[in-house]
């Protein structure tokens, strides 16, 4: 079964029925990103963190149920949005080597709703 979904509601329904897990979904999208490396879409993948978050969400859902408006949704962030402990360059050589000391409010909010950030994607300088 492919974890590709045309709508979040279909994913969520399949999740609740046990047809898919967050971990399976994250692995699928990480694989897709790896297979499309030649397109230069992703600057960095957060493999370990994304899989850890997916496993934690799966475990939490078994214990207390699905929570959050974006539970299990896999997202990527543009290279101009700060994510604590990760590089952010806005595709500019001036910011090369800069590591963010905080996470942007937008990212904090989507993560609080159960979204899983798998990496940062290219953008125009």
């Amino acid at each position: 079964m492919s974890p590709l979904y045309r709508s979040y509601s279909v994913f969520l329904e399949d999740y609740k029925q046990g047809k898919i897990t967050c971990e399976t979904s994250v692995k699928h999208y990480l694989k897709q990103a790896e297979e499309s490396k030649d397109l230069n879409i992703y600057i960095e993948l957060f493999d370990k963190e994304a899989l850890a978050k997916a496993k934690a969400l799966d475990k939490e859902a078994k214990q207390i149920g699905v929570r959050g408006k974006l539970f299990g949704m896999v997202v990527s962030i543009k290279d101009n949005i700060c994510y604590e402990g990760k590089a952010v360059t806005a595709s500019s050589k001036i910011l090369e080597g800069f590591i963010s000391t905080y996470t942007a409010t937008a990212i904090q909010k989507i993560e609080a709703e159960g979204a899983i950030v798998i990496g940062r994607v290219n953008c125009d300088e």
Side-chain angles (χ1 to χ4, degrees):
M1 170 201 223
S2 174
L4 290 174
Y5 291 93
R6 294 194 181 273
S7 75
Y8 177 66
S9 61
V10 174
F11 165 81
L12 197 55
E13 187 61 37
D14 279 359
Y15 185 88
K16 289 177 181 177
Q17 292 177 11
K19 295 179 181 177
I20 191 161
T21 64
C22 293
E23 184 179 2
T24 304
S25 181
V26 167
K27 283 180 179 178
H28 170 78
Y29 289 109
L30 287 172
K31 182 181 176 200
Q32 292 292 102
E34 198 62 40
E35 289 175 355
S36 61
K37 251 185 176 174
D38 59 319
L39 298 176
N40 198 29
I41 299 166
Y42 282 89
I43 296 170
E44 180 181 12
L45 289 172
F46 309 146
D47 313 55
K48 292 175 187 167
E49 297 93 334
L51 285 169
K53 170 89 182 221
K55 289 176 185 178
L57 287 173
D58 286 336
K59 183 178 178 181
E60 181 182 304
K62 283 181 183 174
Q63 294 172 348
I64 62 172
V66 172
R67 63 141 191 95
K69 296 175 185 170
L70 300 173
F71 178 88
M73 184 175 282
V74 177
V75 298
S76 301
I77 57 175
K78 284 288 193 182
D79 187 32
N80 61 351
I81 300 174
C82 291
Y83 197 52
E84 186 175 7
K86 301 293 181 190
V88 60
T89 66
S91 296
S92 173
K93 296 227 184 269
I94 290 174
L95 292 174
E96 198 170 295
F98 174 75
I99 305 297
S100 181
T101 58
Y102 68 95
T103 297
T105 303
I107 302 306
Q108 290 174 355
K109 287 184 177 190
I110 66 169
E111 285 187 321
E113 291 295 333
I116 303 167
V117 180
I118 65 164
R120 57 190 183 99
V121 294
N122 222 336
C123 65
D124 291 333
E125 182 176 4

